[in-house]
Amino acid sequence: MRDAVSDDVGPPTDGPGFWRQVVERLDTAVLVLDPAGRVIAANPAAERLLSRTTAAMRDADAHDLLHRDADGTRVPRDRCAMLHTLAEAKRARGEGGTYLRGDGRLLAVSWSASPLVEGGSVRGTALLFTDATGTAASTGSERRAPAPWRASTSVCHWVRR
């Protein structure tokens, strides 16, 4: 595990078990996508926010499953910034997007995506998102929604395949 300032983080953070606990206890929703954009992991916050179990999301194309316009129609793939992030293996974030929950309700979100690179190859993407319902981001205002997920690259190395 690397932090933003130094190389290796020492004890008690040695081992993937510690980082798994960190991600599982976050209030911020985390989905881990494979290089094709399919869901391979979700933390409990993601399950609660999306009203979907990890088992129900596993292997599903995240864009097809979740991404909607504000009126509920599917967002065309060529208009999806998150898919561009996957294709280009670059970090990105967005505010005012809409996801479809498992109960059929639409959820305004703010999101951040970071590629997960190991050994020089992209192993997937960490997608962090928060509920933006009622924030300026979901109403189209200029004010920015809060973004507690900005540390995504250091926290999301818990996924090991």
Side-chain angles (χ1 to χ4, degrees):
M1 181 60 157
R2 295 183 173 291
D3 67 14
V5 178
S6 64
D7 285 341
D8 291 325
V9 176
T13 60
D14 288 345
F18 176 81
W19 294 110
R20 179 176 296 278
Q21 285 183 350
V22 169
V23 172
E24 288 175 352
R25 292 179 182 171
L26 284 174
D27 284 335
T28 302
V30 179
L31 289 181
V32 180
L33 312 178
D34 69 11
R38 292 182 303 262
V39 177
I40 57 174
N43 74 345
E47 290 181 316
R48 285 189 302 274
L49 196 57
L50 295 173
S51 189
R52 298 174 187 270
T53 65
T54 299
M57 292 185 282
R58 187 170 289 120
D59 295 325
D61 181 292
H63 173 80
D64 291 346
L65 182 68
L66 302 172
H67 202 179
R68 299 294 184 269
D69 277 326
D71 66 1
T73 58
R74 220 177 246 167
V75 173
R77 295 180 81 80
D78 62 349
R79 283 190 22 225
C80 180
M82 215 288 295
L83 287 178
H84 293 287
T85 298
L86 277 169
E88 298 166 7
K90 293 182 180 177
R91 294 179 187 161
R93 68 180 196 191
E95 297 179 15
T98 305
Y99 287 173
L100 178 65
R101 292 171 33 103
D103 60 11
R105 295 185 323 176
L106 296 174
L107 175 70
V109 296
S110 294
W111 60 272
S112 175
S114 295
L116 300 172
V117 180
E118 186 175 10
S121 65
V122 177
R123 302 288 303 264
T125 297
L127 174 62
L128 283 73
F129 54 99
T130 59
D131 183 347
T133 305
T135 67
S138 65
T139 60
S141 168
E142 297 289 345
R143 195 169 54 108
R144 290 182 60 203
W149 30 251
R150 291 187 176 138
S152 63
T153 48
S154 63
V155 174
C156 289
H157 287 285
W158 62 279
V159 175
R160 300 277 185 227
R161 288 181 53 123

